[in-house]
Amino acid sequence: MTDDKDVLRDVWFGRIPTCFTLYQDEITEREAEPYYLLLPRISYLTLVTDKVKKHFQKVMRQEEVSEIWFEYEGTPLKWHYPIGLLFDLHASNTALPWSITVHFKNFPEKDLLHCHSKDVIEAHFMACIKEADALKHKSQVINEMQKKDHKQLWMGLQNDKFEQFWAINRKLMEYPPEENGFRYIPFRIYQATTERPFIQKLFRPIASGGQLHTLGDLLKDVCPSAIIPEDGEQKTQVMIHGIEPMLETPIQWLSEHMSYPDNFLHISIIPRPTD
Amino acid sequence: ASCSMAGEEEFFLEERRFKQCCEDFVKHSQQIGDGWEWRTSQDLGDGYLSKTHFQVRNRHIPPDLKEKNNDNTEQMLFAHVEEPPDDSEAAGVCSAEEVIRYEYHVLYSSSYQVPVLYFRACFLDGRPLTLDEIWGSVHASYQARLQEGPWDTITQQEHPILGQPFFVLHPCRTNEFISAVLRGSQEQHRQTNYITLWLSTVGPVVGLNLPLSYAKLAPEQSTDADLL
């Protein structure tokens, strides 16, 4: 039987083969070759694409280059969402490699947050972790940690160091012995078809009678359309890290084992492929 | 008690109470023509307070400021809020009048159980203001308050209902000052509208001011203005 800890590794080391192509209207001095990269599902676009930027800047004139941004089939990609979430939400049922278009001009101010430096990514990442702990532990665990522990979480992510990250993160996954889980589960549910970017609500992992709430219970409560079949057919899939977990899975277990490094469960509701 | 207390020291604002405070707040705003409205989202029925206003701003560009590099933001911000030069200095300064559209939204954070202030600003041609440009209009004494702590800052974030970039005043320290004031208020048996209290404290930091008449606002507001 697979050890639960193996799940943590599988989540951490998940990769998406990606092909980056320069937007055709960008002005280049010679032809830009596409650039191939395996993207970590758990990281962020602007954190792992320095090589992509360098590759395309080599064929462009300096004055044509401003803030880089990415787009998939016309949709600007939000760098502040984890890569795995972006893929699951927009491209999971399409052929690999994932084809992303790279832009250096006309930054879409109304759609994307700016990302002028790695500090911005770190601030965003830490803000998510802090919010997750507010939900799980009323911020007690994160506030008790020292600055160097916070730094270690970020460095672990930035340098792809599983052990370094989990040495600290395991504390954020603990709960008092008298409880059977966290206070509330940090989760967000995404659907590409809605204007609202995500659904996030307070949800307890344990019912008043002591039973463990499941993924199905969560969806029934905050997003029933995701699991209620339309005309007897299940039109949507519920996806986390590229897989469809069984709806009977306890949400406490999912939170401990399939959260992203920001300690949130990022869940995509996508159209079920018809073939 | 009108506020639920999760611990001895902290006053947490439940969502129901947040909505009620906003409702009372909007009623008063309508009475005095202050422009706040409540917007409900179609899909989930949650919502937020919203206000849009236009401001004419005189942009001073002291000649030496153009040379300063952008690493020294703090210095640049204080330079922006200097008094406008008198006529004798006017020759050395270029200034342009611009109309800026400010948008303020008050949303509820279920994670922190506090209200959160989202805002953005743009010129009339649609170009959004950068954070530096917005900070330029913040009073110097409030700028110092913002420097405290790495998380008590303004950052750009995605609006949780509209999905667009806004600037946000981070909520994690809200409870510290709100609890102290609400406790004092309760001890004196004074009723307070949480939103009025909170917004009158954080608003000015980002250029948003509340007329004094809001202070008369109390929960379960009756039509008798002498209540208090």
Side-chain angles (χ1 to χ4, degrees):
Chain A
M1 205 52 195
T2 321
D3 197 26
D4 277 357
K5 199 158 184 261
D6 291 342
V7 176
L8 301 181
R9 286 190 165 270
D10 288 343
V11 166
W12 182 270
F13 291 106
R15 296 286 186 266
I16 297 168
T18 308
C19 172
F20 289 92
T21 308
L22 187 64
Y23 183 56
Q24 60 197 21
D25 287 0
E26 299 282 338
I27 297 167
T28 59
E29 296 184 331
R30 34 181 204 289
E31 187 172 347
E33 295 284 316
Y35 191 86
Y36 292 83
L37 194 57
L38 283 174
L39 295 180
R41 274 182 161 275
I42 50 138
S43 191
Y44 301 94
L45 278 172
T46 44
L47 190 55
V48 297
T49 50
D50 283 346
K51 289 196 177 136
V52 176
K53 192 159 79 161
K54 280 202 187 80
H55 169 83
F56 290 116
Q57 279 178 182
K58 276 200 292 234
V59 303
M60 295 175 70
R61 280 181 297 178
Q62 241 328 97
E63 55 270 25
E64 298 297 331
V65 174
S66 68
E67 189 174 349
I68 194 172
W69 58 280
F70 305 96
E71 161 245 309
Y72 174 70
E73 295 196 340
T75 304
L77 294 176
K78 297 179 181 180
W79 67 262
H80 70 287
Y81 286 6
I83 291 167
L85 167 63
L86 290 170
F87 180 78
D88 289 345
L89 195 56
H90 297 298
S92 58
N93 289 310
T94 62
L96 296 171
W98 187 18
S99 292
I100 292 182
T101 307
V102 180
H103 293 257
F104 288 99
K105 292 210 300 278
N106 298 318
F107 189 87
E109 304 276 354
K110 289 225 152 55
D111 300 298
L112 299 184
L113 304 181
H114 282 286
C115 188
H116 295 304
S117 73
K118 301 276 187 291
D119 291 345
V120 177
I121 312 173
E122 180 179 3
H124 166 69
F125 176 67
M126 292 312 301
C128 290
I129 289 191
K130 195 165 197 292
E131 184 177 351
D133 203 57
L135 288 165
K136 289 197 275 186
H137 304 117
K138 293 203 238 183
S139 303
Q140 279 159 10
V141 178
I142 195 74
N143 285 345
E144 262 165 26
M145 286 185 183
Q146 299 178 338
K147 261 205 170 73
K148 69 175 173 73
D149 293 335
H150 295 164
K151 210 57 176 173
Q152 190 168 329
L153 290 169
W154 166 247
M155 297 306 289
L157 176 72
Q158 188 178 24
N159 300 325
D160 194 23
K161 295 273 189 269
F162 176 84
E163 300 290 352
Q164 184 186 37
F165 176 81
W166 273 99
I168 307 297
N169 199 54
R170 62 176 184 80
K171 297 185 217 167
L172 295 169
M173 293 301 179
E174 290 168 352
Y175 45 87
E178 60 271 20
E179 316 285 347
N180 282 320
F182 305 135
R183 183 164 189 247
Y184 296 109
I185 298 291
F187 73 89
R188 289 188 178 152
I189 299 175
Y190 303 80
Q191 266 177 290
T193 51
T194 58
E195 179 188 60
R196 179 187 297 264
F198 54 79
I199 299 171
Q200 181 180 343
K201 287 195 176 154
L202 296 179
F203 187 82
R204 292 194 189 276
I206 318 285
S208 46
Q211 321 93 294
L212 293 170
H213 277 140
T214 65
L215 176 61
D217 292 332
L218 171 68
L219 293 167
K220 220 180 298 173
D221 194 36
V222 312
C223 191
S225 56
I227 51 174
I228 293 172
E230 231 177 280
D231 317 319
E233 254 182 69
Q234 189 52 267
K235 291 259 165 68
T236 56
Q237 284 179 305
V238 178
M239 189 162 289
I240 311 177
H241 293 295
I243 64 162
E244 278 188 270
M246 290 182 357
L247 296 179
E248 295 82 4
T249 315
I251 197 77
Q252 175 66 30
W253 186 92
L254 280 174
S255 182
E256 288 176 49
H257 295 87
M258 292 193 71
S259 291
Y260 282 74
D262 65 3
N263 279 229
F264 268 83
L265 275 173
H266 295 287
I267 304 166
S268 302
I269 311 296
I270 53 175
R272 183 174 293 278
T274 45
D275 64 75
Chain B
S2 44
C3 284
S4 69
M5 286 157 60
E8 287 162 57
E9 297 197 336
E10 311 226 43
F11 284 74
F12 287 107
L13 184 69
E14 284 179 327
E15 187 161 10
R16 248 179 320 126
R17 182 154 175 73
F18 166 76
K19 285 181 172 170
Q20 184 60 54
C21 287
C22 289
E23 198 180 297
D24 296 339
F25 185 89
V26 169
K27 268 199 205 104
H28 183 78
S29 171
Q30 284 164 348
Q31 283 167 10
I32 64 170
D34 194 35
W36 285 94
E37 60 178 27
W38 176 261
R39 291 196 185 157
T40 311
S41 79
Q42 308 288 42
D43 53 354
L44 296 185
D46 56 357
Y48 54 93
L49 280 178
S50 166
K51 175 174 175 174
T52 302
H53 76 241
F54 295 85
Q55 226 173 69
V56 176
R57 192 171 69 171
N58 232 348
R59 188 158 57 111
H60 297 284
I61 312 167
D64 60 319
L65 193 61
K66 288 180 199 151
E67 257 90 3
K68 287 199 165 77
N69 64 41
N70 280 325
D71 290 340
N72 210 345
T73 309
E74 199 180 306
Q75 224 174 307
M76 211 169 80
L77 290 172
F78 279 94
H80 273 156
V81 298
E82 272 167 4
E83 294 299 320
D86 59 25
D87 287 335
S88 60
E89 293 174 62
V93 170
C94 31
S95 96
E97 275 199 357
E98 296 163 316
V99 179
I100 299 172
R101 178 178 181 270
Y102 290 87
E103 226 178 314
Y104 298 96
H105 293 181
V106 176
L107 277 81
Y108 180 73
S109 163
S110 53
S111 304
Y112 291 105
Q113 296 191 274
V114 292
V116 185
L117 183 59
Y118 289 74
F119 61 98
R120 64 181 174 185
C122 61
F123 296 101
L124 287 184
D125 63 2
R127 176 168 85 80
L129 268 73
T130 64
L131 188 53
D132 283 346
E133 286 169 321
I134 294 181
W135 273 38
S137 62
V138 171
H139 194 280
S141 60
Y142 290 113
Q143 288 177 9
R145 190 187 292 188
L146 276 174
Q147 314 290 354
E148 296 156 22
W151 289 320
D152 224 7
T153 52
I154 296 177
T155 53
Q156 199 189 28
Q157 285 180 37
E158 179 181 47
H159 190 290
I161 296 177
L162 300 178
Q164 293 171 22
F166 272 72
F167 294 111
V168 184
L169 194 52
H170 201 282
C172 70
R173 299 255 172 99
T174 299
N175 260 317
E176 285 174 26
F177 69 83
I178 284 282
S179 299
V181 182
L182 278 176
R183 205 177 307 127
S185 178
Q186 252 200 2
E187 280 162 14
Q188 295 171 40
H189 303 289
R190 248 190 302 129
Q191 302 278 55
T192 335
N193 181 300
Y194 189 112
I195 295 298
T196 302
L197 185 63
W198 166 79
L199 200 52
S200 61
T201 309
V202 303
V205 173
V206 297
L208 178 65
N209 293 293
L210 288 188
L212 282 176
S213 65
Y214 279 102
K216 292 205 217 84
L217 205 59
E220 292 99 40
Q221 176 85 37
S222 78
T223 50
D224 182 359
D226 291 336
L227 219 193
L228 239 204

